[in-house]
Amino acid sequence: VDPGFEHFDYSQVLSEAPVNLKLAKALMRDGVAMIDNVPDAEDAEVLRHFTYEALGGLQKDPAREEPNWKIQKRENAKSISYDHDKGLNLHTDQSIPPHGEPGLLLSMHYVEGTGANTLVDAFAAAEELRRTDPEGFELLATYGYDAERDFIASRVDSAQQHTKRLLVTRKNKIFQTDADGNLKRVMYNEVFRTPLTLPYDVFPKWYKAFNKYVDMIHSDEWRVVQPMQKGQILLMHNWRVMHGRKARSASPTRTVVGGTITREAFYSKSRELVREVEGVDMPH
């Protein structure tokens, strides 16, 4: 069952500025948008073209030449990302960002096969936690969790060439808020979590709140499933929406390419569209 996110036609987005602007607004309003009727591709050239023209372009990856990643099923994979028969827990991309700040948008193009991605509005779930357990919310917004990623070792199953070593250790807060306490970003990926170095008296309370939030986002109350097939692009607000993979839902030929888009690139493109379509100059 399609969860009902707004769908856009690939060619219309690229040829009609008002439709492109409508897409940008949908991503900020709903957190997710679908692109249909995407031309056939063997690799990421179509995704790179679309994101460059409509959203500002893919973010450069520091460990490979291509800005995009590519995921195909691999037998006896060491990384769960490449073992398509298994489910992949909900997470944000770049939870350990190589550039200091995670990409604002995440793009995912099914160039072959079918599958199903799980999605959750991490902001909505966080606000429910704040309402029902204010102390738990505050703990996850105050204390970071330890995490580490080796950008070569974590991609050992990839068919792409990753040549530049990069080991990043971070201690990010799961809930990141502005000066007024409003959520501005959620960052979390269980795959890269390492032993916690929280204060002794804080640990049991933090871990209880952490488990409560993780159980929430993986429950059917909060999680939705988006069916995917060849010729579709899934776009997500990576600061707000977590994504995963439904177990035993992928076809053997499932091949997905994707990448992130920085806030600066997307905001710049959005300013151009607002000026062209609405005749308004957005603030810097």
Side-chain angles (χ1 to χ4, degrees):
V1 178
D2 192 300
F5 298 115
E6 192 162 1
H7 286 240
F8 295 85
D9 179 78
Y10 175 93
S11 296
Q12 272 195 309
V13 171
L14 294 183
S15 62
E16 302 176 27
V19 178
N20 194 344
L21 179 58
K22 187 179 179 183
L23 167 63
K25 290 182 176 182
L27 281 167
M28 293 299 98
R29 182 188 66 240
D30 304 330
V32 178
M34 295 288 300
I35 308 299
D36 297 323
N37 303 315
V38 180
D40 288 348
E42 294 185 2
D43 218 314
E45 64 273 9
V46 170
L47 178 70
R48 290 198 293 262
H49 174 70
F50 179 81
T51 54
Y52 180 81
E53 294 294 335
L55 300 169
L58 294 180
Q59 183 178 18
K60 180 72 176 73
D61 187 281
R64 62 173 176 252
E65 291 301 319
E66 310 101 317
N68 62 278
W69 43 258
K70 181 177 183 179
I71 295 179
Q72 296 172 293
K73 183 176 181 178
R74 182 160 181 168
E75 295 298 327
N76 303 313
K78 295 183 175 65
S79 169
I80 193 170
S81 295
Y82 300 86
D83 190 347
H84 291 185
D85 293 330
K86 295 178 181 177
L88 184 62
N89 281 354
L90 290 157
H91 62 283
T92 58
D93 259 31
Q94 296 190 333
S95 62
I96 305 179
H99 301 288
E101 183 173 86
L104 177 66
L105 300 181
L106 174 64
S107 60
M108 190 180 298
H109 177 202
Y110 273 60
V111 298
E112 195 62 62
T114 59
N117 287 91
T118 51
L119 303 166
V120 68
D121 188 336
F123 274 23
E127 291 298 346
E128 178 64 11
L129 183 68
R130 176 163 22 201
R131 186 185 71 81
T132 59
D133 185 0
E135 181 185 15
F137 177 93
E138 194 60 30
L139 285 164
L140 298 184
T142 301
Y143 296 95
Y145 73 97
D146 301 81
E148 182 175 278
R149 183 178 187 185
D150 184 324
F151 280 74
I152 299 297
S154 64
R155 294 160 164 176
V156 66
D157 298 302
S158 174
Q160 294 171 283
Q161 296 297 314
H162 296 90
T163 57
K164 300 174 183 176
R165 294 204 64 84
L166 184 65
L167 179 67
V168 180
T169 302
R170 294 288 294 266
K171 195 167 184 175
N172 298 313
K173 300 167 187 173
I174 295 177
F175 301 155
Q176 299 177 13
T177 58
D178 63 20
D180 297 319
N182 300 309
L183 271 172
K184 66 176 183 180
R185 182 164 53 232
V186 172
M187 291 177 67
Y188 171 66
N189 191 335
E190 181 67 16
V191 169
F192 303 121
R193 185 162 65 88
T194 57
L196 300 171
T197 56
L198 295 165
Y200 183 81
D201 60 326
V202 170
F203 175 81
K205 295 182 290 185
W206 186 96
Y207 202 67
K208 181 180 179 181
F210 167 76
N211 278 333
K212 182 184 290 188
Y213 183 66
V214 171
D215 287 344
M216 284 175 64
I217 61 175
H218 286 94
S219 71
D220 290 338
E221 179 182 359
W222 294 97
R223 180 184 56 186
V224 299
V225 177
Q226 176 63 59
M228 295 294 299
Q229 62 184 8
K230 178 181 177 179
Q232 289 185 313
I233 294 174
L234 174 62
L235 298 172
M236 293 157 278
H237 188 321
N238 188 50
W239 292 8
R240 171 186 164 188
V241 174
M242 291 189 192
H243 68 283
R245 182 181 63 231
K246 185 179 179 182
R248 297 179 296 278
S249 65
S251 67
T253 58
R254 178 181 183 265
T255 303
V256 184
V257 294
T260 51
I261 297 159
T262 66
R263 176 194 177 278
E264 291 74 19
F266 177 68
Y267 192 74
S268 175
K269 180 61 181 181
S270 297
R271 289 185 70 199
E272 292 178 12
L273 290 168
V274 169
R275 183 183 296 131
E276 178 181 352
V277 176
E278 300 179 351
V280 176
D281 282 321
M282 291 171 60
H284 294 286

PDB file of all heavy atoms in Angstrom, residues 148-163:
ATOM      1  N   GLU A 148      31.490   5.759  15.491  1.00  0.00           N
ATOM      2  CA  GLU A 148      32.703   5.801  14.665  1.00  0.00           C
ATOM      3  C   GLU A 148      32.428   5.105  13.336  1.00  0.00           C
ATOM      4  O   GLU A 148      31.724   4.099  13.279  1.00  0.00           O
ATOM      5  CB  GLU A 148      33.855   5.106  15.392  1.00  0.00           C
ATOM      6  CG  GLU A 148      35.172   5.138  14.634  1.00  0.00           C
ATOM      7  CD  GLU A 148      36.304   4.553  15.459  1.00  0.00           C
ATOM      8  OE1 GLU A 148      36.859   5.282  16.315  1.00  0.00           O
ATOM      9  OE2 GLU A 148      36.613   3.363  15.259  1.00  0.00           O
ATOM     10  N   ARG A 149      33.000   5.664  12.277  1.00  0.00           N
ATOM     11  CA  ARG A 149      32.869   5.034  10.957  1.00  0.00           C
ATOM     12  C   ARG A 149      34.191   5.070  10.212  1.00  0.00           C
ATOM     13  O   ARG A 149      34.824   6.122  10.094  1.00  0.00           O
ATOM     14  CB  ARG A 149      31.796   5.734  10.121  1.00  0.00           C
ATOM     15  CG  ARG A 149      31.601   5.050   8.767  1.00  0.00           C
ATOM     16  CD  ARG A 149      30.521   5.672   7.921  1.00  0.00           C
ATOM     17  NE  ARG A 149      30.280   4.865   6.725  1.00  0.00           N
ATOM     18  CZ  ARG A 149      29.452   5.196   5.744  1.00  0.00           C
ATOM     19  NH1 ARG A 149      28.752   6.312   5.822  1.00  0.00           N
ATOM     20  NH2 ARG A 149      29.314   4.412   4.697  1.00  0.00           N
ATOM     21  N   ASP A 150      34.575   3.905   9.705  1.00  0.00           N
ATOM     22  CA  ASP A 150      35.689   3.794   8.772  1.00  0.00           C
ATOM     23  C   ASP A 150      35.067   3.784   7.375  1.00  0.00           C
ATOM     24  O   ASP A 150      34.365   2.836   7.012  1.00  0.00           O
ATOM     25  CB  ASP A 150      36.462   2.503   9.037  1.00  0.00           C
ATOM     26  CG  ASP A 150      37.700   2.359   8.162  1.00  0.00           C
ATOM     27  OD1 ASP A 150      37.648   2.787   6.993  1.00  0.00           O
ATOM     28  OD2 ASP A 150      38.704   1.802   8.626  1.00  0.00           O
ATOM     29  N   PHE A 151      35.312   4.822   6.589  1.00  0.00           N
ATOM     30  CA  PHE A 151      34.638   4.982   5.308  1.00  0.00           C
ATOM     31  C   PHE A 151      35.125   4.002   4.242  1.00  0.00           C
ATOM     32  O   PHE A 151      34.526   3.912   3.173  1.00  0.00           O
ATOM     33  CB  PHE A 151      34.773   6.426   4.808  1.00  0.00           C
ATOM     34  CG  PHE A 151      33.803   7.366   5.451  1.00  0.00           C
ATOM     35  CD1 PHE A 151      33.986   7.782   6.764  1.00  0.00           C
ATOM     36  CD2 PHE A 151      32.686   7.815   4.769  1.00  0.00           C
ATOM     37  CE1 PHE A 151      33.079   8.638   7.373  1.00  0.00           C
ATOM     38  CE2 PHE A 151      31.779   8.664   5.364  1.00  0.00           C
ATOM     39  CZ  PHE A 151      31.969   9.074   6.680  1.00  0.00           C
ATOM     40  N   ILE A 152      36.187   3.265   4.525  1.00  0.00           N
ATOM     41  CA  ILE A 152      36.617   2.199   3.619  1.00  0.00           C
ATOM     42  C   ILE A 152      36.063   0.862   4.092  1.00  0.00           C
ATOM     43  O   ILE A 152      35.420   0.130   3.332  1.00  0.00           O
ATOM     44  CB  ILE A 152      38.151   2.139   3.516  1.00  0.00           C
ATOM     45  CG1 ILE A 152      38.712   3.463   2.965  1.00  0.00           C
ATOM     46  CG2 ILE A 152      38.568   0.968   2.624  1.00  0.00           C
ATOM     47  CD1 ILE A 152      38.267   3.782   1.557  1.00  0.00           C
ATOM     48  N   ALA A 153      36.264   0.524   5.362  1.00  0.00           N
ATOM     49  CA  ALA A 153      35.837  -0.771   5.883  1.00  0.00           C
ATOM     50  C   ALA A 153      34.327  -0.948   5.811  1.00  0.00           C
ATOM     51  O   ALA A 153      33.838  -2.052   5.555  1.00  0.00           O
ATOM     52  CB  ALA A 153      36.313  -0.929   7.328  1.00  0.00           C
ATOM     53  N   SER A 154      33.560   0.124   6.019  1.00  0.00           N
ATOM     54  CA  SER A 154      32.101   0.010   6.017  1.00  0.00           C
ATOM     55  C   SER A 154      31.541  -0.181   4.609  1.00  0.00           C
ATOM     56  O   SER A 154      30.357  -0.466   4.444  1.00  0.00           O
ATOM     57  CB  SER A 154      31.467   1.254   6.656  1.00  0.00           C
ATOM     58  OG  SER A 154      31.739   2.423   5.896  1.00  0.00           O
ATOM     59  N   ARG A 155      32.399  -0.031   3.591  1.00  0.00           N
ATOM     60  CA  ARG A 155      31.953  -0.177   2.203  1.00  0.00           C
ATOM     61  C   ARG A 155      32.665  -1.325   1.499  1.00  0.00           C
ATOM     62  O   ARG A 155      32.784  -1.349   0.278  1.00  0.00           O
ATOM     63  CB  ARG A 155      32.222   1.128   1.447  1.00  0.00           C
ATOM     64  CG  ARG A 155      31.379   2.306   1.960  1.00  0.00           C
ATOM     65  CD  ARG A 155      31.974   3.615   1.557  1.00  0.00           C
ATOM     66  NE  ARG A 155      31.030   4.717   1.687  1.00  0.00           N
ATOM     67  CZ  ARG A 155      31.338   6.001   1.470  1.00  0.00           C
ATOM     68  NH1 ARG A 155      32.572   6.328   1.110  1.00  0.00           N
ATOM     69  NH2 ARG A 155      30.429   6.945   1.601  1.00  0.00           N
ATOM     70  N   VAL A 156      33.112  -2.301   2.278  1.00  0.00           N
ATOM     71  CA  VAL A 156      33.924  -3.379   1.730  1.00  0.00           C
ATOM     72  C   VAL A 156      33.160  -4.199   0.685  1.00  0.00           C
ATOM     73  O   VAL A 156      33.773  -4.793  -0.214  1.00  0.00           O
ATOM     74  CB  VAL A 156      34.423  -4.300   2.877  1.00  0.00           C
ATOM     75  CG1 VAL A 156      33.259  -5.024   3.540  1.00  0.00           C
ATOM     76  CG2 VAL A 156      35.458  -5.286   2.381  1.00  0.00           C
ATOM     77  N   ASP A 157      31.827  -4.217   0.753  1.00  0.00           N
ATOM     78  CA  ASP A 157      31.035  -4.992  -0.203  1.00  0.00           C
ATOM     79  C   ASP A 157      30.670  -4.207  -1.458  1.00  0.00           C
ATOM     80  O   ASP A 157      30.036  -4.753  -2.367  1.00  0.00           O
ATOM     81  CB  ASP A 157      29.747  -5.472   0.467  1.00  0.00           C
ATOM     82  CG  ASP A 157      30.017  -6.389   1.641  1.00  0.00           C
ATOM     83  OD1 ASP A 157      30.680  -7.432   1.430  1.00  0.00           O
ATOM     84  OD2 ASP A 157      29.606  -6.074   2.767  1.00  0.00           O
ATOM     85  N   SER A 158      31.036  -2.951  -1.523  1.00  0.00           N
ATOM     86  CA  SER A 158      30.646  -2.113  -2.654  1.00  0.00           C
ATOM     87  C   SER A 158      31.414  -2.483  -3.911  1.00  0.00           C
ATOM     88  O   SER A 158      32.592  -2.855  -3.860  1.00  0.00           O
ATOM     89  CB  SER A 158      30.896  -0.640  -2.307  1.00  0.00           C
ATOM     90  OG  SER A 158      30.657   0.179  -3.432  1.00  0.00           O
ATOM     91  N   ALA A 159      30.752  -2.340  -5.060  1.00  0.00           N
ATOM     92  CA  ALA A 159      31.410  -2.545  -6.349  1.00  0.00           C
ATOM     93  C   ALA A 159      32.198  -1.313  -6.769  1.00  0.00           C
ATOM     94  O   ALA A 159      32.981  -1.376  -7.730  1.00  0.00           O
ATOM     95  CB  ALA A 159      30.374  -2.886  -7.416  1.00  0.00           C
ATOM     96  N   GLN A 160      31.978  -0.204  -6.077  1.00  0.00           N
ATOM     97  CA  GLN A 160      32.702   1.033  -6.404  1.00  0.00           C
ATOM     98  C   GLN A 160      34.110   1.000  -5.819  1.00  0.00           C
ATOM     99  O   GLN A 160      34.417   0.238  -4.895  1.00  0.00           O
ATOM    100  CB  GLN A 160      31.936   2.243  -5.866  1.00  0.00           C
ATOM    101  CG  GLN A 160      30.589   2.468  -6.533  1.00  0.00           C
ATOM    102  CD  GLN A 160      29.781   3.545  -5.827  1.00  0.00           C
ATOM    103  OE1 GLN A 160      29.210   3.300  -4.779  1.00  0.00           O
ATOM    104  NE2 GLN A 160      29.740   4.725  -6.414  1.00  0.00           N
ATOM    105  N   GLN A 161      34.963   1.867  -6.346  1.00  0.00           N
ATOM    106  CA  GLN A 161      36.328   1.972  -5.870  1.00  0.00           C
ATOM    107  C   GLN A 161      36.426   3.059  -4.808  1.00  0.00           C
ATOM    108  O   GLN A 161      36.223   4.238  -5.096  1.00  0.00           O
ATOM    109  CB  GLN A 161      37.280   2.284  -7.036  1.00  0.00           C
ATOM    110  CG  GLN A 161      37.356   1.190  -8.076  1.00  0.00           C
ATOM    111  CD  GLN A 161      37.907  -0.106  -7.515  1.00  0.00           C
ATOM    112  OE1 GLN A 161      38.915  -0.116  -6.805  1.00  0.00           O
ATOM    113  NE2 GLN A 161      37.227  -1.207  -7.822  1.00  0.00           N
ATOM    114  N   HIS A 162      36.709   2.646  -3.574  1.00  0.00           N
ATOM    115  CA  HIS A 162      36.908   3.599  -2.482  1.00  0.00           C
ATOM    116  C   HIS A 162      38.386   3.572  -2.120  1.00  0.00           C
ATOM    117  O   HIS A 162      38.906   2.570  -1.636  1.00  0.00           O
ATOM    118  CB  HIS A 162      36.045   3.226  -1.282  1.00  0.00           C
ATOM    119  CG  HIS A 162      34.574   3.316  -1.566  1.00  0.00           C
ATOM    120  ND1 HIS A 162      33.838   2.261  -2.052  1.00  0.00           N
ATOM    121  CD2 HIS A 162      33.712   4.361  -1.445  1.00  0.00           C
ATOM    122  CE1 HIS A 162      32.576   2.646  -2.210  1.00  0.00           C
ATOM    123  NE2 HIS A 162      32.481   3.902  -1.860  1.00  0.00           N
ATOM    124  N   THR A 163      39.057   4.669  -2.366  1.00  0.00           N
ATOM    125  CA  THR A 163      40.518   4.665  -2.323  1.00  0.00           C
ATOM    126  C   THR A 163      41.116   5.547  -1.234  1.00  0.00           C
ATOM    127  O   THR A 163      42.279   5.378  -0.880  1.00  0.00           O
ATOM    128  CB  THR A 163      41.082   5.140  -3.674  1.00  0.00           C
ATOM    129  OG1 THR A 163      40.558   6.450  -3.961  1.00  0.00           O
ATOM    130  CG2 THR A 163      40.665   4.183  -4.787  1.00  0.00           C
TER     131      THR A 163
END
